[in-house]
Amino acid sequence: MENFNTYKKYVVYLMVLLGGLLLGYLFFGQAKPAANDHVQHNEQNNYTCSMHPSVVNEGKGMCPICGMELVPMGNMDQITNEYRFTMSERAISLANVQTHKIISNTMGGEVVLAGEIALNENTNATQTTLFDGRIDKLHIKYVGEYVKKGQEIGTIYSPELYLAQDKLLTSSSYKDTHEKLYAAARNTLGLWKLTDKQIDDLLKSGKPIVNFPLVADVSGTVVEILGSEGSYYKQGDPLFKVSNLYSVWAVFQAYEDQLPLLKMGQEILISSEAFPSEPVVAKISFIEPVLDKGKRIVAVRANVANGKGQWKPGMFIKGKVKIEHTDKQMVMVPKSAVLWAGEHSVVYTKPKSSKPIFEMREVKLGEAIGDSYVVFKGLEIGEEVVTNGAFTIDAAAQLQGKKSMLYAKETSMEQMPVTSDKGAIFPNEVNDQIKIALGTYFELKNNLVSSKSLDAHNSAKKLDELLLQIEVSEGNAEFQSNMKLAKKMVKEILSEESLDQKRLGFKKLSSAFTYLADHVQGFGEPIYVQHCPMADNNTGADWLSLEKAIRNPYFGDKMLTCGSVTKVLD
């Protein structure tokens, strides 16, 4: 009975509450506000979600989609273009967004350059033939052999030399009566750089030498062999090249925007992966006066002493140049603030410190100095940039339909694949064709790793035939864009003869195949996206691999393990 009375009491309370709500609606719910009041209400009391602007609520609350705190729509009047948007304070706090105000900076830090060891051309020399003839023997067989001046390097058969010897022997029989004829015959052999000892030995033997010994007139380490046995050569034709490796050149590639930071006589710290603990200090001795129009680079050179022979021509090296502080004012931004969109870079600024408003800004960057980049265009001193949480802010921009890093201007749509979130599913037939093409892509990559130019060409030809079978009109715009890029780059690889040029084409081919690999279904094993920062003249390049271990296709055995895994595609 007691439970029944309690239940009855709660029913009465509920009926009273419902009755009150009904009376409130009848008395106040039908009242229409004045026009001015309606405008005031929308401006001051409507709230929206910074991540989902379609959500509009009369009053504060939480977004029913993402659970974020709603912000007054009055704040939206600050958003005047497609690059600017707002976020709630709660979203900013969750993303741990941090900003940094750009202040006046004086230049200082260091510039890092990539390069390689090259022969010192001032010490190079070429051994040539001294007279026409056929090389019967050539004792110099391999690169790296040391040749000393005066050393016998082979034998030559020369009809012209044979006649000159015979003439000298004939004139020697009447040299007492025809002294001038004898002297002329002897001088002829001297002009061909025969030594007095060779001429005296010839006169003693009394017989012309058929296979005449060749003597080196240069000294150094052989760096290239040009002659071969059994071939005919004219006077002055090169047989091999030598160089004195006690001194070599360190040749670096400097970009156009780095030139103001470099000058003759600056000290540069040179190191290599082979000898990381043995860097050497040299001075910049030459800066190339002409800019490469295609790559926008110049050569910067330093002389390096190589008494121990540790610096090998062709070895990849790194150089660091310290930049002293000057009175020159530079706009610099922390590296953590920069987002990369292909070859372009963007940052997010905060136009008003007191408002949760952000704006995407494309910037042109210069050299990296320490933990910052020099900014040539896009930012001014005094502006506030996001240094932490930029990726989250970019995601918020995409959700709100604003411009983001994915919409950064591209130099050429044919060269840059369209990016998209994973989830595109190809038709079954196309999906199977892409899986087969991926297998041939890995075959091409392995041949580039092994530096097998002919095998790489054959793999590219096979891949070209496979890609031609895939219908480009199938699938979405992202697929069509990347497939067209893949087909174009395979053609370019096939048209190039040098292995280096094939590797440049492979860089763009890998961009397209990264998209295809990320969206293909049922491949059966993980695919590793790997990156080398030194590829393509230090601009960096990606590639795909079925192995986690790094095997660099852009350098082969020169820098086989240069790179790291940046992503795993399941």
Side-chain angles (χ1 to χ4, degrees):
M1 180 64 67
E2 183 179 352
N3 292 336
F4 176 80
N5 291 334
T6 302
Y7 173 76
K8 183 177 180 181
K9 180 171 65 175
Y10 285 134
V11 170
V12 172
Y13 289 159
L14 179 61
M15 291 180 64
V16 171
L17 178 61
L18 292 175
L21 291 174
L22 179 61
L23 290 174
Y25 174 78
L26 292 176
F27 282 98
F28 304 104
Q30 303 298 325
K32 296 183 178 181
N36 292 338
D37 292 340
H38 181 69
V39 173
Q40 183 91 3
H41 175 73
N42 283 340
E43 290 181 351
Q44 296 184 357
N45 298 330
N46 278 10
Y47 285 73
T48 186
C49 177
S50 60
M51 303 290 282
H52 303 91
S54 60
V55 175
V56 178
N57 188 46
E58 294 185 1
K60 296 181 179 180
M62 310 298 288
C63 175
I65 300 175
C66 64
M68 289 188 177
E69 183 181 356
L70 300 181
V71 298
M73 290 190 68
N75 289 345
M76 302 296 286
D77 60 2
Q78 299 290 339
I79 305 174
T80 59
N81 59 58
E82 58 189 351
Y83 298 93
R84 186 177 291 189
F85 62 98
T86 186
M87 290 178 63
S88 69
E89 296 292 349
R90 183 169 182 266
I92 293 173
S93 177
L94 289 174
N96 191 26
V97 173
Q98 298 176 16
T99 60
H100 169 82
K101 183 167 288 189
I102 299 175
I103 60 175
S104 176
N105 285 287
T106 54
M107 191 184 304
E110 63 182 23
V111 176
V112 180
L113 303 174
E116 63 179 279
I117 296 296
L119 297 173
N120 185 339
E121 295 182 7
N122 293 327
T123 67
N124 291 352
T126 302
Q127 175 67 53
T128 63
T129 54
L130 302 178
F131 25 77
D132 298 353
R134 181 188 69 229
I135 301 295
D136 287 335
K137 291 289 183 181
L138 187 62
H139 302 325
I140 307 304
K141 300 294 186 182
Y142 55 90
V143 172
E145 188 174 355
Y146 186 80
V147 175
K148 187 177 181 180
K149 186 176 181 179
Q151 171 186 338
E152 184 175 321
I153 58 174
T155 60
I156 184 171
Y157 167 71
S158 172
E160 188 177 6
L161 179 59
Y162 185 89
L163 292 175
Q165 294 179 82
D166 186 64
K167 184 177 179 180
L168 174 64
L169 293 173
T170 301
S171 63
S172 67
S173 62
Y174 49 80
K175 66 178 180 179
D176 294 335
T177 57
H178 297 81
E179 186 177 346
K180 290 184 178 180
L181 290 176
Y182 172 77
R186 186 180 178 103
N187 289 337
T188 299
L189 295 180
L191 292 174
W192 280 335
K193 296 187 178 182
L194 269 68
T195 65
D196 289 336
K197 183 178 183 305
Q198 287 176 315
I199 296 174
D200 291 339
D201 290 341
L202 170 65
L203 291 171
K204 288 179 181 179
S205 68
K207 295 181 180 180
I209 302 174
V210 177
N211 295 316
F212 202 86
L214 288 173
V215 177
D217 56 2
V218 296
S219 297
T221 301
V222 177
V223 295
E224 185 178 4
I225 298 176
L226 303 170
S228 60
E229 295 179 351
S231 298
Y232 284 84
Y233 296 92
K234 292 184 178 181
Q235 181 180 357
D237 285 347
L239 295 178
F240 55 83
K241 295 181 179 180
V242 299
S243 181
N244 185 345
L245 298 183
Y246 290 111
S247 173
V248 293
W249 283 348
V251 182
F252 300 94
Q253 295 176 338
Y255 289 93
E256 186 176 6
D257 54 34
Q258 295 173 323
L259 293 180
L261 310 177
L262 304 173
K263 61 183 179 180
M264 301 278 285
Q266 276 180 314
E267 287 191 347
I268 181 169
L269 183 67
I270 303 171
S271 60
S272 71
E273 289 190 354
F275 308 103
S277 61
E278 301 179 34
V280 298
V281 177
K283 290 187 177 182
I284 296 177
S285 60
F286 177 78
I287 298 177
E288 194 173 19
V290 180
L291 185 75
D292 186 313
K293 293 183 179 179
K295 298 180 180 179
R296 313 304 299 175
I297 60 174
V298 299
V300 176
R301 192 173 72 213
N303 295 330
V304 180
N306 192 33
K308 297 181 180 179
Q310 70 180 39
W311 300 104
K312 315 293 184 184
M315 179 183 289
F316 286 97
I317 53 176
K318 181 170 64 175
K320 294 182 179 180
V321 180
K322 288 188 177 181
I323 307 301
E324 301 296 334
H325 285 277
T326 67
D327 294 333
K328 184 178 180 180
Q329 301 298 313
M330 300 291 292
V331 177
M332 301 182 70
V333 64
K335 289 182 178 179
S336 61
V338 179
L339 301 178
W340 294 94
E343 297 179 356
H344 298 263
S345 49
V346 299
V347 299
Y348 278 96
T349 65
K350 196 174 184 184
K352 294 187 177 182
S353 298
S354 60
K355 301 287 185 180
I357 299 171
F358 301 94
E359 181 179 83
M360 189 193 79
R361 191 83 58 80
E362 186 171 357
V363 292
K364 182 180 179 182
L365 301 179
E367 175 57 32
I369 300 179
D371 294 327
S372 300
Y373 288 112
V374 175
V375 181
F376 289 142
K377 185 178 180 181
L379 287 174
E380 301 291 340
I381 292 175
E383 290 192 280
E384 192 171 351
V385 297
V386 175
T387 56
N388 189 70
F391 276 106
T392 303
I393 291 177
D394 188 80
Q398 295 177 45
L399 290 172
Q400 295 189 33
K402 298 292 183 176
K403 296 295 186 183
S404 68
M405 62 182 289
L406 296 181
Y407 295 90
K409 297 178 181 178
E410 302 295 349
T411 303
S412 170
M413 291 304 293
E414 291 184 349
Q415 295 182 356
M416 296 301 299
V418 179
T419 57
S420 175
D421 291 334
K422 186 172 181 179
I425 300 176
F426 308 128
N428 291 337
E429 181 180 358
V430 173
N431 192 79
D432 292 340
Q433 290 173 322
I434 292 175
K435 286 194 291 183
I436 297 173
L438 271 169
T440 307
Y441 165 90
F442 292 122
E443 178 183 308
L444 171 60
K445 185 266 298 183
N446 291 334
N447 286 328
L448 292 177
V449 169
S450 303
S451 298
K452 297 178 179 178
S453 182
L454 180 59
D455 291 344
H457 182 85
N458 293 334
S459 297
K461 185 176 181 181
K462 181 180 176 182
L463 183 58
D464 180 52
E465 294 172 353
L466 291 172
L467 293 178
L468 287 176
Q469 299 174 14
I470 302 178
E471 181 59 48
V472 178
S473 61
E474 294 283 347
N476 58 21
E478 292 86 354
F479 167 74
Q480 294 180 35
S481 173
N482 284 278
M483 184 56 65
K484 288 179 181 178
L485 176 63
K487 292 183 175 182
K488 176 183 176 183
M489 298 320 303
V490 170
K491 295 289 186 186
E492 287 194 13
I493 292 174
L494 288 172
S495 67
E496 299 292 350
E497 294 185 1
S498 73
L499 192 60
D500 289 340
Q501 291 299 318
K502 290 181 184 296
R503 283 167 166 159
L504 288 178
F506 183 73
K507 172 183 176 179
K508 296 176 182 177
L509 178 68
S510 296
S511 297
F513 264 86
T514 299
Y515 170 87
L516 298 175
D518 198 22
H519 293 79
V520 72
Q521 303 294 314
F523 188 74
E525 54 184 312
I527 298 175
Y528 299 93
V529 181
Q530 299 175 338
H531 178 79
C532 173
M534 297 184 69
D536 191 13
N537 294 319
N538 213 35
T539 62
D542 294 334
W543 72 93
L544 302 176
S545 177
L546 294 177
E547 301 175 350
K548 188 175 182 180
I550 301 297
R551 295 293 182 268
N552 194 311
Y554 298 106
F555 294 110
D557 55 4
K558 291 182 179 179
M559 293 182 65
L560 186 62
T561 59
C562 177
S564 59
V565 176
T566 59
K567 188 177 181 181
V568 180
L569 308 178
D570 295 324

